[in-house]
Amino acid sequence: MYTVTPNGDSSKNALIDRLVSDKDDLKTKLIENGAILLRGYELRTPEDFEDVALVLEPGLQNNYAGTSPRNSRTKFVHSASELPGHYPIMQHCEMSFLPTAPRFLFFYCFVEPNDGGETPVCDFRKVYAQMDPKIRDEFERRGVKLIRNYTGPNTKASTDVYQLKRWDELFKTTDHAVVEEECKKNDLTATWLEDDKLKLVNSRPAMQKHPETGEMVWFNHLQVFHREAAAIEYRHVFKRRRDLYSLKYMLALNTITFFKRLFKKPSDEAMHMVFADNDSEIPRSYVEHVQNLIWDNMEANPWKLGDVLMIDNFSTSHGRLPYKGPRDILVAWSA
Ligand SMILES: [Fe+2]
């Protein structure tokens, strides 16, 4: 990981001065490396973080159409995810399933975790380059279709542990017409279902060309959306942690997935992904292949208080390893 540390003065103002004077050089390094860590500076509040992120990217955004529950902390700073600590958040380029994925991401460590909770990164240019050419060609040729099933404010309680936030939380409205308009803007097909549920479906290319370097990038949410992905992910988590905590969740997720295979239609899952050309299932072995490559290329560093992690979202993914105890990681993103 390319890391920037203080040359003596570690104040926020010293960092901002440095970011202003070295801005072009840092952008070049960010494109080359995919991620840069700013470590050792006195950034004590979400507002400090916002000031730093705004220097790097004056066009920060605050509309979020992703799948994680997030709370707003300042105008442009949100909690990275309110999902419980035992959930694995698999590697992904932020909102790669939308035509308007953010260009750059900024994470900030407001409360340092002491047991897990890293935000690993992975260069998805390497994942593309190292994929089995036969599997890669198939994804390039066929594209991917994303399926999401949301509950609504009047849905009877869901018992699905994978259930996403509700559609009224996602769109911040209960007005069906507003939801439909938003979906149209984002190329999402919206279908209202019984029990106040909403199905969102959209098709995307599986890869994307990097806008500056022209390199090809694995750029889709297979390893997040596919119904086999969480169970596969926890096998990797257990291999890394080798503790009872991960063993418990690995067994639980693999058991749940086993029964889902038997009793639940894939298209009824909270999230799933199929090939876009004819809606056929993507084999589990393909998901495993991609997740193995991601774990081979992943870099997971423990957070330190005040760290800022900048990510080129068009080449490099991020995720979250499970954790116990306190942790507060915040996020901001550009257009
Ligand atoms: Fe994310």
Side-chain angles (χ1 to χ4, degrees), residues 295-313:
W295 275 79
D296 288 348
N297 288 287
M298 210 167 82
E299 194 177 344
N301 295 311
W303 281 109
K304 293 262 175 249
L305 191 68
D307 279 352
V308 171
L309 177 64
M310 307 192 279
I311 294 179
D312 174 1
N313 190 48

Side-chain angles (χ1 to χ4, degrees), residues 70-331:
R70 284 182 172 173
N71 293 336
S72 155
R73 300 294 179 84
T74 70
K75 186 172 177 193
F76 296 116
V77 172
H78 293 68
S79 57
S81 176
E82 299 292 331
L83 282 174
H86 60 267
Y87 270 66
I89 300 183
M90 285 73 88
Q91 290 288 311
H92 58 282
C93 291
E94 194 67 26
M95 294 182 245
S96 75
F97 48 87
L98 295 179
T100 51
R103 184 70 188 82
F104 297 105
L105 299 179
F106 306 90
F107 288 95
Y108 164 63
C109 179
F110 185 41
V111 174
E112 186 180 303
N114 52 30
D115 187 355
E118 300 90 337
T119 299
V121 294
C122 176
D123 191 331
F124 273 15
R125 295 170 291 194
K126 290 184 183 162
V127 172
Y128 176 91
Q130 293 170 19
M131 276 178 81
D132 176 336
K134 256 179 62 191
I135 298 178
R136 187 173 61 206
D137 290 351
E138 198 170 345
F139 276 105
E140 280 187 316
R141 199 164 26 86
R142 304 180 68 182
V144 291
K145 183 178 276 186
L146 298 92
I147 302 164
R148 287 183 275 169
N149 285 294
Y150 286 89
T151 55
N154 301 311
T155 304
K156 292 190 281 298
S158 168
T159 52
D160 189 340
V161 292
Y162 293 93
Q163 192 56 56
L164 305 161
K165 59 189 171 186
R166 297 195 319 250
W167 59 259
D168 57 312
E169 294 166 336
L170 174 68
F171 292 101
K172 297 187 177 67
T173 178
T174 51
D175 186 333
H176 283 206
V178 175
V179 170
E180 287 161 18
E181 194 51 44
E182 273 302 303
C183 289
K184 211 186 275 177
K185 272 194 240 162
N186 285 301
D187 284 338
L188 299 165
T189 304
T191 310
W192 297 103
L193 305 173
E194 59 178 22
D195 196 22
D196 199 25
K197 289 180 179 165
L198 173 67
K199 184 187 276 292
L200 298 182
V201 175
N202 67 315
S203 294
R204 300 285 305 156
M207 326 289 185
Q208 164 167 304
K209 201 180 249 188
H210 191 278
E212 272 91 19
T213 68
E215 293 157 292
M216 289 304 291
V217 182
W218 173 253
F219 198 75
N220 71 80
H221 267 56
L222 173 75
Q223 61 286 342
V224 179
F225 274 53
H226 196 281
R227 75 160 164 185
E228 299 285 342
I232 297 169
E233 183 77 357
Y234 243 105
R235 292 180 180 206
H236 287 283
V237 171
F238 175 66
K239 241 167 127 183
R240 178 185 167 89
R241 289 182 58 122
R242 297 263 172 218
D243 61 0
L244 273 174
Y245 176 79
S246 328
L247 178 66
K248 183 174 84 178
Y249 286 108
M250 178 184 77
L251 293 174
L253 282 180
N254 279 276
T255 307
I256 291 168
T257 305
F258 173 78
F259 282 106
K260 276 167 174 265
R261 262 180 238 139
L262 295 178
F263 299 114
K264 195 162 186 173
K265 258 171 63 187
S267 57
D268 290 340
E269 296 281 0
M271 294 186 288
H272 190 49
M273 184 182 272
V274 294
F275 281 119
D277 58 346
N278 62 359
D279 292 354
S280 65
E281 290 297 321
I282 297 170
R284 185 183 201 276
S285 60
Y286 287 13
V287 188
E288 238 169 350
H289 173 62
V290 170
Q291 276 174 280
N292 289 346
L293 284 177
I294 289 174
W295 275 79
D296 288 348
N297 288 287
M298 210 167 82
E299 194 177 344
N301 295 311
W303 281 109
K304 293 262 175 249
L305 191 68
D307 279 352
V308 171
L309 177 64
M310 307 192 279
I311 294 179
D312 174 1
N313 190 48
F314 283 4
S315 70
T316 301
S317 64
H318 62 282
R320 186 190 74 185
L321 294 184
Y323 68 97
K324 284 189 282 190
R327 178 188 189 271
D328 198 6
I329 305 299
L330 308 183
V331 66

